Amino acid sequence: MMNSRFATATLLAALGIASSSCVDKSTYYKIDDDVKAIADSIDNQDDLSHFYGGIVRLVAHDFMDYDAHGDNGMGSDGCIEFDHPTNAGLETVWCDDCEITKLYNKKYSHISKADFWIIAGNAVIRQTAIGDGLDMAGTFYWGRLDADQCSGSGDRIPVGTSCREVEATFLESMGLEWEDAVALMGAHTLGEAHDEFSGHHGYWVPPEESVIFDKRYYEELILRAWRPRKDGEEKQDWTSTHPDNPEPKFMLNTDMCLFYDIETSYPCCSRTDLFRSNGANRCDYEEDYSHTECMKYSSDSSRMAAVRAVVKFLGGTGPNSNQTPFYQAFEKAWYKATMNGADNLKPLKNSCSDSW
């Protein structure tokens, strides 16, 4: 008699719905090894940063369209509107000629794209975390179904221009807590923003560290003098580097909102107490912002939960290498986000021959 899980997968395939027949630990770690092989073949740091950040972004854009209150909940379903402006650039990560896509088609098409994307994202995070400190195999569950269409999903993806976007997407639609949202935003430590895709240009962390998954994002957020860039434009954001720097550091409004009340105090600079070697204030370049420091949230603001999370993820007072608070919170938040919208998921087994 045919095993029920394979019979179900066969029926779904006949209906045109991709699903995973089985995912065990061996397969999970083979995918991890294959992702590493692709990464090891990339000899340019910018390309490696794009590869790492792109895969994590692919996973995030698949789960950020979840809406617990919508008619079509969506979530991690292997479906992305690649032609939607909010997803611009992902077509350079998942395409016929993209290495990760070719890997999937050649070896893992028996697994749903939704499951495969998450495993690939987990692989990137494990490989780039400090000291192999974030292996999320224990919180990975498989069995997601791929959707054949997800019309309107792109409209649900935040674009980084409004402080309300974090609340609307992560808290209200996805049902997460502030600490979860802040932890997921920490994934910005990988990769960079490209002007041709998003209208933003730069790295959230120093370029050489954009291939490391750690808490540096939160350190940058509070230690740098962030000032408005492209003030008055649709793609206004923040920078802490010289205007002529070809590899600028930047933050989105949605990043800044985790710690600063920029809605109340804009235009402002996050740290007016920092100075360059020539004595000039680090808030002042094309325009002077040193006269107005970005305000902190009032003690009764709901966003103080985000501020507390940022402080927590710093790992302690003063310089330190404690990644544990961030890693633990990220794994919890990633689990919640990738589980949204899916039913009857199963944990990894030692072998697919194990009984269920």
Side-chain angles (χ1 to χ4, degrees):
M1 181 178 294
M2 184 179 292
N3 186 295
S4 61
R5 67 177 180 271
F6 293 108
T8 300
T10 301
L11 174 59
L12 291 171
L15 295 173
I17 302 172
S19 66
S20 301
S21 58
C22 179
V23 183
D24 59 16
K25 290 181 179 178
S26 175
T27 301
Y28 180 95
Y29 284 110
K30 284 179 181 176
I31 295 173
D32 187 300
D33 288 342
D34 287 338
V35 170
K36 186 176 187 302
I38 295 174
D40 288 346
S41 72
I42 301 172
D43 57 9
N44 178 285
Q45 180 169 291
D46 285 344
D47 292 341
L48 183 60
S49 176
H50 179 68
F51 175 73
Y52 285 150
I55 289 179
V56 174
R57 182 174 175 234
L58 183 72
V59 181
H61 280 229
D62 195 23
F63 68 56
M64 283 195 298
D65 62 7
Y66 179 74
D67 185 356
H69 313 291
D71 293 335
N72 183 352
M74 299 188 191
S76 296
D77 56 7
C79 186
I80 287 177
E81 289 186 303
F82 286 95
D83 59 350
H84 195 284
T86 58
N87 297 317
L90 288 178
E91 75 281 359
T92 67
V93 178
W94 189 261
C95 63
D96 290 343
D97 292 328
C98 295
E99 292 301 319
I100 196 71
T101 312
K102 290 191 288 186
L103 172 65
Y104 174 77
N105 291 333
K106 181 179 179 180
K107 298 178 63 175
Y108 301 109
S109 59
H110 61 286
I111 300 173
S112 68
K113 285 189 295 183
D115 282 343
F116 177 80
W117 288 351
I118 294 169
I119 298 172
N122 287 5
V124 165
I125 290 166
R126 186 198 66 76
Q127 293 164 25
T128 58
I130 302 295
D132 197 19
L134 191 50
D135 186 338
M136 297 189 286
T139 52
F140 173 76
Y141 284 62
W142 63 271
R144 294 165 187 80
L145 306 180
D146 286 343
D148 57 0
Q149 68 84 27
C150 47
S151 178
S153 66
D155 293 332
R156 299 180 180 182
I157 305 299
V159 295
T161 59
S162 166
C163 295
R164 270 287 301 149
E165 290 180 83
V166 177
E167 293 170 322
T169 299
F170 292 108
L171 277 63
E172 295 168 11
S173 295
M174 295 179 63
L176 305 179
E177 303 294 331
W178 265 116
E179 183 168 296
D180 301 320
V182 176
L184 291 174
M185 294 285 279
H188 279 161
T189 193
L190 291 178
E192 62 182 298
H194 297 268
D195 189 68
E196 66 268 32
F197 299 142
S198 65
H200 302 281
H201 171 53
Y203 297 83
W204 284 267
V205 300
E208 65 275 10
E209 299 201 20
S210 66
V211 293
I212 302 172
F213 190 84
D214 64 2
K215 61 173 181 167
R216 186 60 184 264
Y217 166 82
Y218 308 103
E219 295 171 345
E220 292 292 311
L221 183 62
I222 69 167
L223 293 177
R224 302 292 180 188
W226 297 103
R227 65 186 191 279
R229 182 174 67 169
K230 295 184 284 189
D231 187 23
E233 299 181 24
E234 180 184 0
K235 299 296 183 178
Q236 175 268 319
D237 53 26
W238 303 73
T239 189
S240 63
T241 46
H242 191 280
D244 297 330
N245 191 322
E247 296 182 327
K249 290 195 288 290
F250 92 111
M251 291 278 171
L252 298 167
N253 285 337
T254 43
D255 299 307
M256 294 292 291
C257 289
L258 301 181
F259 201 76
Y260 306 101
D261 187 359
I262 60 172
E263 289 178 325
T264 300
S265 50
Y266 187 90
C268 58
C269 182
S270 63
R271 293 286 303 271
T272 59
D273 60 337
L274 300 179
F275 298 87
R276 301 195 293 276
S277 59
N278 63 1
N281 195 289
R282 289 189 176 275
C283 296
D284 301 335
Y285 279 97
E286 314 97 314
E287 297 186 39
D288 294 345
Y289 291 107
S290 58
H291 59 279
T292 305
E293 185 162 296
C294 297
M295 295 176 60
K296 304 298 193 296
Y297 291 109
S298 62
S299 59
D300 60 349
S301 170
S302 63
R303 292 178 183 167
M304 278 302 297
V307 173
R308 288 190 290 271
V310 171
V311 173
K312 177 180 179 179
F313 298 159
L314 292 173
T317 58
N320 67 82
S321 58
N322 181 17
Q323 307 291 336
T324 301
F326 170 48
Y327 284 174
Q328 289 181 343
F330 184 87
E331 182 171 20
K332 176 183 175 183
W334 190 256
Y335 168 80
K336 289 181 181 180
T338 56
M339 294 289 280
N340 270 339
D343 297 316
N344 303 315
L345 300 185
K346 303 177 180 67
L348 291 173
K349 285 285 188 177
N350 289 325
S351 170
C352 283
S353 62
D354 292 349
S355 61
W356 295 94

